[in-house]
């Protein structure tokens, strides 16, 4: 009964909701808002959820939106998450749905995540009689900017009574039709740092009278690369990257100040601590040797995203059983980061990828590129994947065999 019900839901998404989901995505794409500034986006989401007669909370954690759908029968509570912030990038696409906001665009697929989850909420709002339990729709602000929105939403109770939590990410790394999973450690911890080098400026023709901040900064860049290659265990994945160097005002002036900005990516907590320690030690040594002043701001960002093995297996099998045309792909770990990691520190669950690269070259650009776009067929596939999860957890009465995950008991499934 469960699989046939899910197949019917999938067909209803295609027949009744595809155009609406695409329309929502294009509206959001035309009207992006930056992290912690998503006032209109949050209002749009809340209005759509209220039309469905869900319980709606706004301002969750400062800017998130929560929709709660209670089924007609008792059962587990699962949460489904979509993020909705954009990036400070100028949209260079030549499409009718290109961003109308100068310097801001959805370059990571968050508009698609939100549109797909709105579609799921729309369909399930008409299926309350079929649901044994509750669905919590988490629409999260500020994923792209540390400290992110997840921690604040959790502190504001978004996971109260939730048994398991799931999220998707559209990915142009994968072709449409592929859905990628990784059990255990999936995405890296991400830290950010700034290094301010302050020397003594002067005339470029008399460098001996100066302390050249640019030369010192360049020396730092080179030495920092030795942390991963010579100090971190080669069996531990790690990255130290400098993304910004800014200094100087003219060709014939020795710069007094130079700024470096970079990121550290790790999976192992000991490697994370070691890299920060080594970075500070190198900076201190260079400062003393070069007679400069070096100040470091080091920000611990999102933790490692660790998918729970049991929930990942359940979801992988549920999608394989109910989406026979989908190609299930086992993914390697990624050095990218996601604040969905915080949800998984509090509740069991899984975060997975849905392929969004089509035959059209416009969908081949990487995330955070000014011409980023997706094959919109991935929107329906994302909605179907979410519906398969709901069907797996919430369409069977709680029986004598169950999985205990927290406050509720989930029906035992064959996997």
């Amino acid at each position: 009964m469960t699989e046939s019900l899910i197949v019917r839901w999938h067909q209803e998404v295609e027949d009744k909701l595809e155009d609406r989901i695409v329309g929502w995505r294009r509206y959001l794409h035309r009207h992006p808002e930056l992290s912690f500034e998503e006032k209109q986006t949050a209002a749009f989401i809340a209005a759509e959820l209220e039309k469905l007669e869900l319980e709606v909370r706004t301002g969750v954690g400062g800017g998130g939106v929560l929709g709660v759908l209670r089924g007609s029968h008792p059962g587990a509570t699962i949460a489904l998450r979509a993020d909705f912030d954009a990036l400070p990038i100028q949209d260079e696409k030549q499409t009718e749905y290109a961003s109308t906001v100068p310097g801001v665009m959805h370059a990571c697929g968050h508009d698609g995540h939100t549109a797909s989850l709105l579609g799921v909420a729309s369909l399930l709002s008409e299926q309350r009689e079929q649901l044994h339990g509750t669905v919590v729709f988490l629409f999260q602000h500020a994923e792209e900017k540390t400290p992110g929105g997840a921690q604040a939403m959790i502190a504001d109770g978004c996971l109260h009574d939730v048994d398991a939590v799931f999220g998707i990410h559209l990915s142009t790394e994968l072709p449409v039709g592929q859905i990628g999973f990784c059990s255990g450690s999936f995405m890296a911890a991400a830290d950010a740092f700034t290094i301010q080098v302050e020397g003594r400026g002067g005339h470029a023709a008399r460098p001996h009278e100066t302390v050249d901040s640019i030369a010192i900064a360049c020396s730092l860049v080179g030495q920092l690369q030795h942390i991963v290659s010579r100090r971190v265990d080669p069996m531990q994945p790690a990255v130290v990257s400098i993304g910004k160097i800014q200094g100087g005002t003219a060709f014939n002036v020795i710069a007094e100040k130079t700024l470096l900005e970079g990121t550290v990516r790790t999976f192992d907590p000991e490697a994370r601590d070691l890299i920060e320690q080594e970075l500070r030690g190198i900076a201190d040594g260079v400062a003393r040797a070069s007679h400069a002043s070096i100040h470091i701001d080091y920000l611990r960002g999102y933790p490692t995203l660790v998918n729970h093995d049991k929930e990942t297996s359940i979801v992988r099998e549920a999608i394989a059983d109910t989406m026979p045309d989908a190609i299930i792909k086992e993914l390697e770990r990624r050095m990218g980061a996601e604040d969905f990691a915080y949800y998984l520190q509090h509740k069991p669950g899984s975060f997975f990828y849905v392929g969004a690269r089509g035959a059209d070259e416009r969908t081949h650009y990487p995330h955070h590129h000014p011409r980023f776009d997706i094959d919109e067929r991935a929107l329906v596939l994302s909605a179907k994947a979410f519906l398969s999860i709901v069907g797996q957890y919430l369409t069977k009465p709680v029986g004598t065999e169950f999985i205990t995950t927290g406050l509720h008991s989930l029906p035992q499934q064959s996997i």
Side-chain angles (χ1 to χ4, degrees):
M1 179 264 194
T2 298
E3 287 187 16
S4 62
L5 176 62
I6 297 170
V7 170
R8 178 167 64 78
W9 288 353
H10 288 177
Q11 193 61 51
E12 288 187 18
V13 168
E14 291 185 12
D15 294 344
K16 300 178 181 180
L17 289 173
E18 182 172 6
D19 289 344
R20 289 177 65 191
I21 292 173
V22 170
W24 283 323
R25 183 258 169 169
R26 293 187 176 191
Y27 171 83
L28 294 169
H29 202 85
R30 286 193 296 267
H31 303 92
E33 293 180 297
L34 294 173
S35 304
F36 298 106
E37 300 176 12
E38 314 97 320
K39 300 291 190 296
Q40 297 303 314
T41 306
F44 171 81
I45 294 167
E48 293 297 325
L49 294 177
E50 286 167 356
K51 294 176 187 176
L52 306 175
E53 299 183 355
L54 270 61
E55 299 171 27
V56 179
R57 282 183 60 200
T58 59
V60 182
V65 180
L66 205 66
V68 179
L69 174 62
R70 301 188 190 279
S72 298
H73 311 282
T77 297
I78 65 169
L80 308 176
R81 178 268 208 167
D83 38 16
F84 57 80
D85 55 329
L87 286 155
I89 298 173
Q90 178 62 41
D91 195 346
E92 297 181 0
K93 292 192 301 299
Q94 300 299 312
T95 62
E96 57 90 11
Y97 52 84
S99 172
T100 61
V101 182
V104 183
M105 73 170 289
H106 277 288
C108 204
H110 296 187
D111 52 338
H113 304 165
T114 295
S116 294
L117 192 56
L118 283 173
V120 173
S122 179
L123 187 145
L124 291 178
S125 68
E126 300 176 354
Q127 303 290 326
R128 299 170 203 253
E129 291 297 325
Q130 303 289 344
L131 296 181
H132 295 258
T134 300
V135 185
V136 177
F137 299 96
L138 301 177
F139 291 92
Q140 183 202 309
H141 62 301
E143 188 279 329
E144 294 287 1
K145 186 175 181 179
T146 307
Q151 287 189 97
M153 288 187 67
I154 293 166
D156 202 7
C158 76
L159 293 180
H160 179 66
D161 279 354
V162 167
D163 292 291
V165 59
F166 302 95
I168 62 159
H169 203 302
L170 293 168
S171 173
T172 58
E173 294 180 36
L174 304 178
V176 170
Q178 285 192 6
I179 300 179
F181 294 91
C182 179
S183 291
S185 297
F186 180 31
M187 303 185 78
D191 301 333
F193 61 86
T194 62
I195 302 176
Q196 180 75 55
V197 180
E198 185 170 351
R200 185 171 63 251
H203 200 293
R206 301 182 64 80
H208 59 290
E209 297 176 351
T210 72
V211 176
D212 189 340
S213 67
I214 289 180
I216 295 167
C218 290
S219 174
L220 269 173
V221 171
Q223 292 191 54
L224 292 178
Q225 302 312 306
H226 291 286
I227 296 176
V228 172
S229 65
R230 289 296 177 268
R231 296 293 296 136
V232 176
D233 184 338
M235 302 304 292
Q236 290 290 346
V239 169
V240 176
S241 293
I242 302 296
K244 178 179 180 180
I245 180 166
Q246 183 176 358
T249 58
F251 78 98
N252 59 350
V253 177
I254 299 292
E256 184 158 325
K257 296 180 180 180
T258 299
L259 176 71
L260 298 173
E261 295 184 5
T263 186
V264 173
R265 305 297 173 102
T266 54
F267 284 96
D268 180 70
E270 292 184 5
R272 193 180 194 184
D273 292 339
L274 173 65
I275 290 175
E276 180 181 357
Q277 175 185 330
E278 290 291 317
L279 186 149
R280 293 184 182 278
I282 288 171
D284 183 62
V286 169
R288 286 187 282 106
S290 60
H291 309 289
S293 173
I294 298 179
H295 176 73
I296 298 174
D297 284 322
Y298 196 97
L299 176 65
R300 289 288 179 112
Y302 304 157
T304 303
L305 187 153
V306 182
N307 281 327
H308 295 250
D309 292 341
K310 180 185 293 183
E311 284 67 31
T312 301
S313 295
I314 290 172
V315 171
R316 183 195 292 115
E317 294 302 320
I319 290 174
D321 289 343
T322 58
M323 299 175 64
D325 294 333
I327 299 171
I328 305 299
K329 185 176 179 61
E330 298 300 319
L331 300 179
E332 300 294 330
R333 293 190 289 183
R334 299 291 196 270
M335 299 309 289
E338 245 286 349
D339 75 343
F340 192 86
Y342 291 117
Y343 298 112
L344 294 175
Q345 289 183 335
H346 290 264
K347 300 291 181 177
S350 191
F351 186 77
F352 56 97
Y353 279 10
V354 176
R357 187 180 75 241
D360 192 324
E361 289 188 3
R362 67 178 175 78
T363 67
H364 294 187
Y365 293 98
H367 294 248
H368 296 207
H369 190 281
R371 296 182 69 182
F372 175 83
D373 204 355
I374 61 171
D375 186 318
E376 290 176 324
R377 291 178 296 171
L379 301 174
V380 168
L381 292 173
S382 298
K384 287 182 176 181
F386 272 142
L387 289 168
S388 292
I389 296 171
V390 174
Q392 184 74 359
Y393 282 89
L394 302 186
T395 58
K396 296 179 180 179
V398 176
T400 55
E401 296 183 347
F402 54 85
I403 306 168
T404 301
T405 64
L407 297 175
H408 301 282
S409 298
L410 302 184
Q412 177 69 53
Q413 311 295 341
S414 298
I415 61 172

